[in-house]
């Protein structure tokens, strides 16, 4: 009888663990930059009329243009909506050619402090952005609001 209860307890434990794993799945992040890109890059969230982010092979895909921008209609919590945090996940950084084919991995040592934040400037609605600095400009990207505004004005027109 003890074996039965022990087996039942182990079975319930495995079931609970599998349920938790499936319902708490976190997505990895894959960042793709044009070959040779250096400097400040930004993901700008919640922009109407822009494409949503995609998930491929278990990773949220961030494909930066030549100006270092990803403009998306997706919210900043895309992939983990309704949760307190994104959980454990991996981030990969890759250079791609003009056809979008991977050419080389970017070492983590060349990625600066990646930060998520929001701000409002010049009457434009609140901008939520993820800053991803590459190479030598790592320390200045989080406060380069004017640069981001200029890039957005070039893509979306002045507000």
């Amino acid at each position: 009888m003890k074996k039965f209860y022990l087996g039942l307890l182990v079975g319930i434990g495995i079931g609970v663990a599998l349920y938790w794993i499936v319902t708490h799945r976190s997505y990895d992040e894959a960042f793709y930059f044009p070959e040779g890109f250096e400097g400040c890059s930004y993901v700008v969230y919640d922009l109407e009329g822009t494409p949503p982010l995609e998930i491929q092979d278990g990773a949220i895909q961030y494909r930066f243009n030549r100006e270092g921008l990803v403009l998306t209609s997706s919210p900043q919590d895309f992939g983990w909506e309704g949760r307190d945090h994104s959980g454990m996940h991996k981030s990969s950084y890759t250079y791609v050619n003009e056809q979008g084919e991977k050419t080389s991995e970017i070492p983590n040592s060349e990625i600066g402090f990646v930060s998520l934040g929001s701000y409002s400037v010049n009457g434009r609605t609140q901008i939520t952005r993820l800053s991803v600095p590459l190479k030598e400009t790592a320390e200045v990207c989080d406060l380069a609001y004017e640069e981001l505004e200029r890039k957005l004005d070039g893509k979306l027109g002045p507000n």
Side-chain angles (χ1 to χ4, degrees):
M1 195 66 168
K2 283 184 177 181
K3 288 183 180 181
F4 171 75
Y5 286 118
L6 182 60
L8 183 63
L9 186 60
V10 168
I12 290 171
I14 290 172
V16 168
L18 288 174
Y19 174 78
W20 187 88
I21 288 169
V22 168
T23 59
H24 289 82
R25 179 179 179 202
S26 63
Y27 294 103
D28 292 334
E29 295 178 307
F31 296 87
Y32 300 99
F33 297 91
E35 277 183 309
F37 181 85
E38 293 184 19
C40 299
S41 57
Y42 303 95
V43 179
V44 183
Y45 298 97
D46 293 313
L47 290 176
E48 288 185 29
T50 59
L53 293 171
E54 295 179 1
I55 297 173
Q56 294 177 352
D57 300 323
I60 301 170
Q61 306 291 300
Y62 298 94
R63 298 186 183 280
F64 291 87
N65 63 19
R66 287 250 165 241
E67 291 83 33
L69 291 176
V70 172
L71 306 179
T72 181
S73 58
S74 297
Q76 59 89 17
D77 63 350
F78 177 79
W80 50 282
E81 296 90 337
R83 298 187 188 156
D84 292 335
H85 56 81
S86 61
M88 298 278 290
H89 65 277
K90 295 178 188 174
S91 296
S92 64
Y93 305 90
T94 307
Y95 280 124
V96 295
N97 62 22
E98 290 185 16
Q99 291 75 36
E101 300 164 337
K102 296 178 183 180
T103 58
S104 63
E105 296 292 322
I106 303 170
N108 284 339
S109 62
E110 294 184 5
I111 306 298
F113 180 71
V114 177
S115 62
L116 177 68
S118 298
Y119 72 98
S120 179
V121 175
N122 298 330
R124 187 189 295 271
T125 57
Q126 180 172 331
I127 296 171
T128 302
R129 53 86 187 106
L130 179 72
S131 301
V132 184
L134 263 69
K135 306 274 183 168
E136 315 236 339
T137 59
E139 67 280 351
V140 299
C141 292
D142 195 42
L143 299 175
Y145 300 125
E146 292 84 17
E147 176 188 3
L148 178 56
E149 282 291 312
R150 186 177 34 75
K151 288 180 176 185
L152 288 175
D153 286 347
K155 286 289 184 189
L156 304 173
N159 197 19

